[in-house]
Amino acid sequence: MSEIDRLLAGNRAHAAAYANAHDKHPSRRVAVLTCMDTRIDVLAALGLQLGEAHVLRNAGARVTEDVLRSLALSTHALGVDTVVVMQHTQCGLAGGTDEALREQTGADLAFLPITDHADALRADVDQLASTPYLGLVQAIAGLLYDVETGEVTEVVRWERPS
Ligand code: ZN
């Protein structure tokens, strides 16, 4: 069986037990940006249920143009007011360089490698907090997920001054 056929078979099992979340608006008004890493079960890691949060994923959980595009819609169209950026230990983007990643992939892209999780989280939280069209966001947290223990550590928290 090809991998795509396995995925479609997996869907048939999922659809048989599907519980519709009914509403496209995240009921806890939360968006979570995290890494594409296979070891993170995002909803379970934060005690979230289907329908409660937007989940955005990319390599490294970094703020990119596409993340900003999604958050503009999350906040203005779908009621999100809290954003969590969750990096993780043993991330493939940690410790590398743009130069090495460009050579490895042949892609002339900004890979946004992570030298220090705390520094990267602070930079990304600062960028989100200072993005004018994300003015509906009231709180942002930068978290680090430990892939060995499942524990989350809060690294930085920003709240909009009232
Ligand atoms: Zn990662």
Side-chain angles (χ1 to χ4, degrees), residues 36 59 92-93 97-111:
M36 65 187 186
L93 264 192
T97 64
D98 255 335
E99 188 178 39
L101 293 165
R102 285 179 184 139
E103 186 168 322
Q104 180 184 358
T105 61
D108 185 19
L109 299 170
F111 284 93

Side-chain angles (χ1 to χ4, degrees), residues 35-37 39-40 58-61 88-93:
C35 185
M36 65 187 186
D37 193 281
R39 295 166 288 186
I40 306 169
N58 65 27
H88 68 97
T89 59
Q90 300 178 17
C91 186
L93 264 192

Side-chain angles (χ1 to χ4, degrees), residues 19-144:
N20 189 347
H22 298 296
D23 190 346
K24 67 182 177 182
H25 297 77
S27 64
R28 288 178 55 181
R29 305 170 70 93
V30 171
V32 180
L33 167 63
T34 196
C35 185
M36 65 187 186
D37 193 281
T38 59
R39 295 166 288 186
I40 306 169
D41 182 342
V42 183
L43 298 183
L46 295 171
L48 291 163
Q49 304 293 321
L50 195 67
E52 292 185 337
H54 281 156
V55 177
L56 315 176
R57 301 189 76 154
N58 65 27
R62 301 306 312 270
V63 173
T64 62
E65 284 298 314
D66 195 62
V67 166
L68 293 171
R69 178 183 72 92
S70 295
L71 289 177
L73 293 167
S74 282
T75 55
H76 288 278
L78 294 160
V80 163
D81 65 10
T82 300
V83 178
V84 169
V85 180
M86 188 167 76
Q87 295 182 7
H88 68 97
T89 59
Q90 300 178 17
C91 186
L93 264 192
T97 64
D98 255 335
E99 188 178 39
L101 293 165
R102 285 179 184 139
E103 186 168 322
Q104 180 184 358
T105 61
D108 185 19
L109 299 170
F111 284 93
L112 305 174
I114 298 162
T115 304
D116 178 87
H117 285 294
D119 288 347
L121 284 166
R122 283 192 201 97
D124 281 358
V125 168
D126 283 349
Q127 185 183 353
L128 294 174
S130 62
T131 298
Y133 54 79
L134 296 182
L136 294 173
V137 175
Q138 300 304 310
I140 309 171
L143 311 179
L144 186 65

